[in-house]
Amino acid sequence: MAGKARSEASSSSRSNTNSNNRGQSKVHDCGRNRTPCGYCKSPGLTSISHGLWAHSLTVNDYQDLLDRGWRRSGSFLYKPEMERTCCPSYTIRLKADNYIPSKEQLRVTRRIQRFLDGTMDCKKPLKVEENQNAAKGACCNADQEVSSSAVKKNSSYNNEEKNGEEKIIKYLSEEINGAVSLCTKSGEFPHDIQLPKASVKKVSHAKRKLLVDVSEHLVYSSNIAFQIAASIKRTQPGMKDVHQSTVSGNLADENVLSPKVIAEKLTNSLKHLAETSGLSVRACNGHLNFYSGTIQTSLDGSAEIVATSEGSAARHASKVFSSKNSSEHPPVKRRRLEIYLKRSSFDPEEFALYRRYQIKVHNDTPDHVTESSYKRFLVDSPLIFVPPTSDGTVPPFGFGSFHQQYVIDGQLVAVGVVDILPRCLSSKYLFWDPDFAFLSLGKYSAIQEINWVKENQIHCPSLQYYYLGYYIHSCNKMRYKAAYRPSELLCPLRYQWVPFDVARPFLDRRPYVVLSDCTSTQGGEPSLPSVTEHAMELQHDDIRQEDTSDVFFYEDEEDIEPESESSDDESGTESSSPTSHQMESGDVGNILIGLKGSCVKYKKGIIWKAS
C-alpha cells in the first residue's frame, strides 16, 4: 500500500516538462523544536519552530517552502511557529528591478571603488572589536562596529581623500591662471589691469543629478570668466562702445568681453589637461567645467564613481607641486577584485577564512569551529542541482546551492553562501576576512547579489527576487535587512507578500501580526488586525496555484539528529539542531497539504492522495 501511495503521489507530476527532470524531494519530519533564542537571549527554550530533515529537495519545492516561511540550515529545514516563538521571524524579499540603494549603500560602493583604485589604502590590518557577538553574520549584514583604531584609520582615509581633492583644485586653479596669463600676453585680455585669480570648486553629486547629458560626468567647475569680465567692465567702463588701445582689435565690442567668450578662450588654452590629468575642460555658458575622463558605474547601475580620474589628477598634481611629497607617497597601487560563483563544495581556503571569521567576529572558541560542523552548516545541501539550459528556464550557472567568492589580488576576502532558485536568489550566509571589516563587505555582497539577479533575468525571466532570510522586528540587530528597499514581508497566515512600509507600524506595536490583515484608517492611527477563527482556516485554504514537484515523506531507518549552527542572522544562532528533550511529536497524520489544487494527507510517514 505504501508503494501504491508513493506511486500515486509521484503520478501527480507537473505539467511543466522542465520540472519533470528535477528529481524528487525526500524529507523526514522532525517535529517541534525548542531551543534557546539567539536574538532576545531570554532564559529557557523560548525559540519554537518545526523542523524537517531533507535528504533531497528539488529547487522548485524549496522555492515553494521559502514562500511558506521555511528556511534551511545545511540539510535541516525549519519554520518558526510564529504565534508561539519569542521572536517571530518574517521572510523578507525585494524585487531586484525595483531596488533603490540608500545613501549608505552608495557610500559602500564608492568606498570599495576607492579601495580598488588605490586612493584609499590600508597599510595595517584593522581589528574588529572583541565583543562582536552581535556582529553581522548574514549575507546582508549590518555595518561592522570596528575598534577605535579602525575608526581612526577610516578618518585618516577621509583626510587623505580630502587632501587629494585639494591638490586637484590647486592644480586646476594654477593651470587656469596660466591660461589667463597666456591670453593677456597674446593681447586677448587687457594687460593694464589686475585680473582676479581663479577659483575652482568641486561639483557635488546632488548638483550633478540635476544636470543632463554629459554634465553627469562633471567633477569640477570655475566661474573665473565671469570674474574677468566684471573686472574689465569695472576698470574700463567705456569698453561697451569704444575700442580700447590696450586690447587687440578683436575685442572691440561687448560680445568679445562676455563671460561666454572668455571661457571659450581659456578652454582653448587648457586642452592639454586631458592628457596631463585625465580631466577634459569645456566652456558652458561662461563656466569652465572639468569632466572626468573615466566614469565607472556602480553596482546599482546609478551611482557615479569618479575616483579613478580624480586619483589620476591628484597624483599628477603631487608631482607638479612637490617632488618630496611624491617620494614620501609611492605611486598608487590599484587592486583587482574578482568574483567567482562555484557550486557548494568543501574548500580548505574557504574553511580557513570561515574559522578566522567565527573566532574573531563571533568569538567562537577554536574547538567549536570544526571542519565537520562547517560542512554541515554551509557546504551540505539537499538541493538537487539543475544544469543550465538554453530555453530561458535556467540561468547560465544552473539552479542549486553555490558559494560566491570575493577575491582581491588573489586573496580570498569573503564568501557568500547562496541558493539560486527558479524565482529568486536566496542569501544564506556571508563570512569575510576581519582585516577588511572597514569595507562593509556585508552590504557590498548584498548589492552584488541583487545585481546578479538583474543581470540574469535575461537568461531566466522568472528569476526576479532577492531573499534576505528572516526579518525580526523585535530584534534591533536584524532590522538592517529592511534597508534594502522596497522590501516585502511574508504574511505568516495567508502567505501573501505585504510591503514593509505597510507592515512596519503594526510591527512597532507587537511582534506577531497577521500582515495581510494590516489596514489603516484614513488620517488616523493604524488599526491592528485581528486573527479570527475563519482567518486561521484560510491558512490551509490559500493554496498557491502553481506547479510543484512531487513530494513524499518517508520514515528514515536511522535515528537522525541534524545539526545546524547559525544561518543568515547576526546572532549566529538562527536555528539549532533538534534533540530528544527538545522535540515535541505532534499528530501530523491528518494535516491537509495543498498540491496542485487538491489536498493530500500526511500519514504514517507517507502522503496519501485524498480521494
Side-chain angles (χ1 to χ4, degrees):
M1 180 64 87
K4 180 180 179 181
R6 294 179 183 178
S7 176
E8 288 179 354
S10 300
S11 65
S12 58
S13 59
R14 352 177 143 166
S15 57
N16 189 329
T17 56
N18 293 314
S19 302
N20 292 335
N21 299 323
R22 295 182 181 177
Q24 192 174 56
S25 298
K26 301 177 183 179
V27 279
H28 174 85
D29 183 73
C30 297
R32 179 175 295 158
N33 185 23
R34 293 180 178 269
T35 64
C37 183
Y39 302 111
C40 64
K41 308 295 183 181
S42 61
L45 306 177
T46 58
S47 179
I48 306 173
S49 63
H50 196 92
L52 298 173
W53 182 260
H55 298 266
S56 64
L57 193 63
T58 68
V59 292
N60 296 80
D61 287 333
Y62 186 49
Q63 175 73 72
D64 292 338
L65 287 171
L66 283 182
D67 293 335
R68 288 296 184 271
W70 291 80
R71 293 286 291 172
R72 79 171 184 90
S73 179
S75 295
F76 181 63
L77 307 175
Y78 57 97
K79 177 182 179 181
E81 294 191 6
M82 299 287 280
E83 290 185 278
R84 299 186 180 188
T85 191
C86 55
C87 296
S89 307
Y90 299 84
T91 300
I92 183 171
R93 74 175 187 182
L94 67 85
K95 193 169 185 179
D97 282 343
N98 297 338
Y99 170 58
I100 302 174
S102 66
K103 290 183 179 180
E104 171 59 25
Q105 290 156 9
L106 292 177
R107 279 195 291 268
V108 168
T109 61
R110 291 193 291 266
R111 188 185 310 145
I112 293 283
Q113 190 63 50
R114 291 198 305 272
F115 179 74
L116 296 176
D117 289 339
T119 57
M120 185 188 76
D121 202 0
C122 180
K123 297 180 181 179
K124 295 180 180 180
L126 298 179
K127 295 181 180 180
V128 183
E129 281 189 350
E130 293 181 0
N131 186 15
Q132 280 287 329
N133 283 327
K136 55 190 176 183
C139 62
C140 313
N141 308 296
D143 266 342
Q144 294 303 311
E145 294 184 2
V146 296
S147 64
S148 59
S149 63
V151 174
K152 292 178 182 178
K153 183 69 73 173
N154 283 333
S155 177
S156 67
Y157 295 151
N158 294 333
N159 291 334
E160 288 178 7
E161 181 185 4
K162 184 177 180 180
N163 292 336
E165 292 177 357
E166 290 176 352
K167 289 181 180 179
I168 298 172
I169 290 174
K170 184 178 180 182
Y171 171 68
L172 294 177
S173 298
E174 293 200 359
E175 289 293 313
I176 295 174
N177 290 335
V180 172
S181 178
L182 288 176
C183 290
T184 301
K185 291 178 181 179
S186 65
E188 295 179 276
F189 295 165
H191 56 75
D192 58 348
I193 63 174
Q194 183 70 34
L195 295 179
K197 296 296 183 180
S199 174
V200 177
K201 294 183 178 181
K202 183 175 181 180
V203 180
S204 67
H205 286 279
K207 289 184 178 180
R208 293 180 209 176
K209 293 180 179 178
L210 298 176
L211 304 176
V212 295
D213 300 330
V214 297
S215 58
E216 293 179 357
H217 301 239
L218 180 60
V219 185
Y220 300 97
S221 183
S222 175
N223 63 351
I224 184 62
F226 290 90
Q227 298 177 31
I228 292 176
S231 296
I232 296 176
K233 189 174 182 180
R234 283 195 304 268
T235 58
Q236 300 180 8
M239 281 296 294
K240 285 189 177 182
D241 305 310
V242 182
H243 171 73
Q244 301 295 316
S245 60
T246 56
V247 184
S248 60
N250 60 345
L251 292 178
D253 59 89
E254 183 182 11
N255 289 335
V256 176
L257 298 175
S258 68
K260 182 176 180 181
V261 174
I262 294 174
E264 290 175 351
K265 290 182 179 295
L266 293 176
T267 299
N268 292 332
S269 300
L270 295 170
K271 295 294 186 182
H272 63 281
L273 290 179
E275 296 181 359
T276 60
S277 68
L279 297 174
S280 60
V281 58
R282 300 189 188 115
C284 181
N285 296 325
H287 292 273
L288 287 180
N289 290 341
F290 299 89
Y291 301 86
S292 60
T294 303
I295 299 296
Q296 298 186 10
T297 304
S298 70
L299 299 175
D300 63 1
S302 62
E304 183 181 357
I305 302 175
V306 294
T308 300
S309 295
E310 294 178 12
S312 175
R315 291 191 298 275
H316 180 79
S318 296
K319 293 178 182 179
V320 172
F321 296 133
S322 174
S323 59
K324 180 179 179 180
N325 289 341
S326 297
S327 62
E328 291 177 354
H329 300 281
V332 171
K333 177 186 177 182
R334 286 188 171 87
R335 300 173 176 86
R336 179 179 178 84
L337 169 64
E338 298 170 295
I339 302 177
Y340 301 97
L341 187 66
K342 57 186 283 288
R343 288 182 60 185
S344 180
S345 62
F346 179 77
D347 184 326
E349 186 179 13
E350 288 185 1
F351 172 66
L353 179 62
Y354 170 78
R355 183 178 174 84
R356 281 194 65 212
Y357 169 78
Q358 293 296 132
I359 293 173
K360 289 194 174 185
V361 176
H362 287 293
N363 288 335
D364 285 356
T365 58
D367 58 343
H368 180 70
V369 188
T370 64
E371 208 173 278
S372 59
S373 64
Y374 167 72
K375 289 179 180 179
R376 286 194 297 269
F377 175 36
L378 294 177
V379 177
D380 295 345
S381 172
L383 296 187
I384 301 172
F385 176 71
V386 178
T389 62
S390 57
D391 58 0
T393 60
V394 182
F397 291 94
F399 292 136
S401 298
F402 297 85
H403 286 192
Q404 193 163 40
Q405 297 180 333
Y406 296 80
V407 180
I408 297 179
D409 288 346
Q411 178 183 352
L412 182 67
V413 299
V415 177
V417 181
V418 301
D419 292 324
I420 299 177
L421 306 173
R423 295 191 295 275
C424 75
L425 183 148
S426 175
S427 216
K428 173 174 168 50
Y429 203 78
L430 178 90
F431 52 94
W432 37 264
D433 191 329
D435 290 344
F436 290 84
F438 64 96
L439 290 179
S440 300
L441 291 171
K443 287 185 175 70
Y444 183 74
S445 66
I447 297 170
Q448 274 284 7
E449 289 163 0
I450 294 171
N451 192 55
W452 186 93
V453 174
K454 290 181 180 180
E455 292 176 350
N456 282 271
Q457 286 179 2
I458 188 173
H459 306 292
C460 181
S462 66
L463 189 64
Q464 297 186 20
Y465 291 94
Y466 177 61
Y467 283 53
L468 297 90
Y470 284 138
Y471 173 82
I472 305 176
H473 195 71
S474 58
C475 179
N476 289 331
K477 299 189 301 292
M478 295 298 290
R479 291 191 178 188
Y480 71 89
K481 295 186 179 183
Y484 299 87
R485 302 172 62 89
S487 56
E488 302 174 304
L489 300 181
L490 182 67
C491 175
L493 182 63
R494 298 189 181 91
Y495 305 122
Q496 298 172 0
W497 292 99
V498 178
F500 173 78
D501 291 338
V502 173
R504 180 171 183 172
F506 301 97
L507 293 172
D508 285 339
R509 300 173 66 179
R510 70 185 188 198
Y512 174 70
V513 178
V514 179
L515 298 178
S516 57
D517 282 347
C518 289
T519 58
S520 296
T521 57
Q522 288 186 344
E525 291 294 326
S527 59
L528 281 171
S530 59
V531 183
T532 64
E533 190 173 340
H534 172 68
M536 294 298 295
E537 295 174 356
L538 291 177
Q539 183 170 5
H540 299 294
D541 295 336
D542 181 39
I543 304 300
R544 184 183 294 273
Q545 298 298 322
E546 55 185 271
D547 292 329
T548 57
S549 56
D550 305 321
V551 186
F552 66 88
F553 299 82
Y554 70 98
E555 294 177 334
D556 192 17
E557 296 178 357
E558 301 178 1
D559 181 19
I560 299 176
E561 292 189 2
E563 177 180 351
S564 61
E565 287 152 44
S566 62
S567 189
D568 56 354
D569 68 323
E570 299 182 26
S571 65
T573 55
E574 180 168 298
S575 67
S576 299
S577 308
T579 60
S580 58
H581 71 277
Q582 295 170 337
M583 300 296 297
E584 296 181 12
S585 299
D587 182 12
V588 296
N590 293 320
I591 291 180
L592 295 179
I593 302 175
L595 181 65
K596 292 188 66 176
S598 62
C599 292
V600 294
K601 282 187 177 181
Y602 174 91
K603 190 173 183 180
K604 295 182 180 179
I606 58 174
I607 285 184
W608 297 82
K609 187 171 182 180
S611 56

